[in-house]
């Protein structure tokens, strides 16, 4: 096991189970791509340590040790950045990563899902400043700029949310994305952590 900065690069994650409810590889890749766009704030095609640290610590409340564990496990070629393909591979390989708050695909059940959908409606109403019943690019951009996101990251988030590519985000599109991507819930401030989050490898 090679080390970098004193941390092993071959940290072990729980492997994906054979559960029938597991998403397909295509679904996992699509989720990884959406989350990649939220974290790659300068949209240069890779996630730097600083970008991951900002997302996990400042947005999601993770500990520094958790950031290090995730980063060193995902940077497979140890070149100092995480590519889209490395994140995709990490999501396929490590089930607990794709279930991690603020990182994962977030597949809530029952009461949690209802609560998440209620939060999505509240966020939708606060973003839809002209009360048109849809969110346009300017409305989402203004909202996310206040949360500290740059235009490139906002473009990626908008693309993820506008599923039917009609130039508008509907309540249903935002609600479905809230259920699917815990990273989006953290990005919009709908979900936060009062305690520092650990991450078990």
């Amino acid at each position: 096991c090679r080390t970098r900065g004193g941390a092993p690069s071959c940290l072990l994650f729980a492997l994906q189970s054979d559960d029938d409810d597991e998403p397909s590889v295509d679904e996992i890749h699509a989720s990884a791509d959406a989350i990649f766009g939220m974290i790659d704030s300068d949209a240069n095609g890779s996630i730097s340590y600083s970008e991951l640290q900002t997302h996990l610590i400042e947005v999601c409340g993770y500990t520094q040790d958790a950031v290090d564990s995730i980063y060193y496990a995902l940077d497979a070629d140890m070149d100092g950045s995480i590519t889209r393909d490395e994140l995709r591979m990490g999501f396929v390989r490590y089930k607990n990563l794709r279930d991690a708050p603020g990182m994962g695909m977030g597949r809530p059940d029952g009461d949690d899902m209802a609560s998440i959908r209620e939060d999505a409606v509240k966020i939708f109403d606060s973003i839809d400043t002209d009360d048109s019943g849809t969110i346009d690019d300017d409305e989402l951009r203004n909202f996310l700029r206040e949360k500290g996101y740059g235009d490139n990251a906002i473009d990626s988030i908008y693309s993820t949310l506008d599923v039917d590519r009609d130039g508008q985000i509907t309540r249903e599109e935002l609600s479905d994305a809230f259920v699917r991507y815990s990273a989006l819930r953290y990005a919009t401030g709908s979900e936060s952590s009062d305690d520092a989050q650990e991450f078990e490898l």
Side-chain angles (χ1 to χ4, degrees):
C1 184
R2 296 173 294 169
T3 62
R4 176 174 52 185
S9 63
C10 58
L11 297 169
L12 298 177
F13 285 86
L15 295 177
Q16 177 178 337
S17 72
D18 294 329
D19 188 345
D20 289 339
D21 270 352
E22 286 298 311
S24 70
V25 171
D26 287 342
E27 289 174 315
I28 293 170
H29 284 180
S31 293
D33 289 349
I35 291 162
F36 186 92
M38 291 178 212
I39 300 173
D40 179 22
S41 59
D42 62 7
N44 70 347
S46 65
I47 297 172
S48 68
Y49 182 85
S50 175
E51 287 171 324
L52 186 68
Q53 184 177 43
T54 297
H55 177 75
L56 291 179
I57 291 178
E58 295 177 21
V59 176
C60 303
Y62 279 78
T63 65
Q64 186 62 54
D65 287 343
V67 173
D68 290 344
S69 294
I70 292 169
Y71 187 80
Y72 294 130
L74 291 176
D75 184 15
D77 63 6
M78 297 175 59
D79 70 347
S81 65
I82 300 167
T83 65
R84 184 177 303 274
D85 285 340
E86 286 174 324
L87 187 63
R88 282 177 161 198
M89 287 186 304
F91 267 46
V92 169
R93 185 172 179 190
Y94 308 125
K95 181 184 185 311
N96 61 336
L97 179 62
R98 58 179 192 263
D99 291 339
M103 276 296 283
M105 297 169 67
R107 296 182 177 257
D109 294 318
D111 292 340
D112 287 340
M113 187 176 300
S115 175
I116 288 168
R117 289 195 183 277
E118 287 173 18
D119 288 345
V121 168
K122 291 175 189 171
I123 294 292
F124 184 95
D125 290 342
S126 69
I127 299 172
D128 180 22
T129 56
D130 65 3
D131 295 322
S132 65
T134 60
I135 296 171
D136 64 29
D137 182 84
D138 289 336
E139 289 171 321
L140 184 68
R141 195 165 299 280
N142 292 335
F143 179 81
L144 289 176
R145 279 181 181 155
E146 289 178 13
K147 303 287 184 190
Y149 285 84
D151 286 336
N152 291 328
I154 295 169
D155 290 341
S156 179
I157 293 169
Y158 195 88
S159 177
T160 298
L161 294 174
D162 185 17
V163 175
D164 63 7
R165 306 289 183 246
D166 68 352
Q168 302 290 316
I169 299 166
T170 64
R171 272 187 171 77
E172 182 179 341
E173 285 173 323
L174 185 68
S175 179
D176 289 348
F178 257 52
V179 168
R180 186 170 182 159
Y181 306 117
S182 65
L184 182 63
R185 297 191 299 268
Y186 280 90
T188 60
S190 166
E191 196 164 299
S192 62
S193 175
D194 294 332
D195 300 318
Q197 295 207 41
E198 297 291 337
F199 189 76
E200 286 297 317
L201 299 177

